[in-house]
């Protein structure tokens, strides 16, 4: 990943790395939390999360009226 900013391109591996770098692998994250970690806009993070959900086992659910959380399922 290069310098953060408007011209920065974030790939799906960057987003996956946010989930994998946490101490609690099962803790869900919001798009805003992912955006904060990447240094990108919430919209960019949300677009990448939707892409990951359609291409991988990333899962999400709505919590509250306008909130969604995302996680990678832990198979036991």
């Amino acid at each position: 990943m290069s310098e953060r900013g408007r011209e920065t391109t974030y790939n799906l591996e960057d987003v996956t790395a946010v989930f994998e770098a946490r101490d609690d692998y099962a803790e869900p994250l919001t798009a805003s939390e992912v955006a904060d970690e990447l240094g990108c806009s919430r919209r960019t993070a949300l677009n990448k999360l939707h892409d990951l959900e359609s291409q991988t086992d990333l899962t999400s659910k709505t919590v509250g009226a306008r909130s969604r959380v995302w996680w990678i399922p832990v198979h036991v």
Side-chain angles (χ1 to χ4, degrees), residues 3-42:
E3 284 285 319
R4 294 177 178 175
R6 195 163 186 74
E7 301 300 319
T8 303
T9 301
Y10 298 94
N11 57 45
L12 298 181
E13 290 80 20
D14 295 329
V15 179
T16 302
V18 171
F19 286 92
E20 292 173 345
R22 298 171 302 134
D23 291 333
D24 184 356
Y25 191 74
E27 178 188 1
L29 296 173
T30 65
S32 294
E33 290 171 321
V34 171
D36 288 345
E37 284 295 317
L38 291 176
C40 67
S41 71
R42 182 183 171 283

Side-chain angles (χ1 to χ4, degrees), residues 42-59:
R42 182 183 171 283
R43 174 50 56 190
T44 296
L46 190 58
N47 289 342
K48 295 299 180 181
L49 287 165
H50 282 293
D51 290 347
L52 271 174
E53 187 172 30
S54 69
Q55 297 175 25
T56 68
D57 62 347
L58 184 76
T59 305

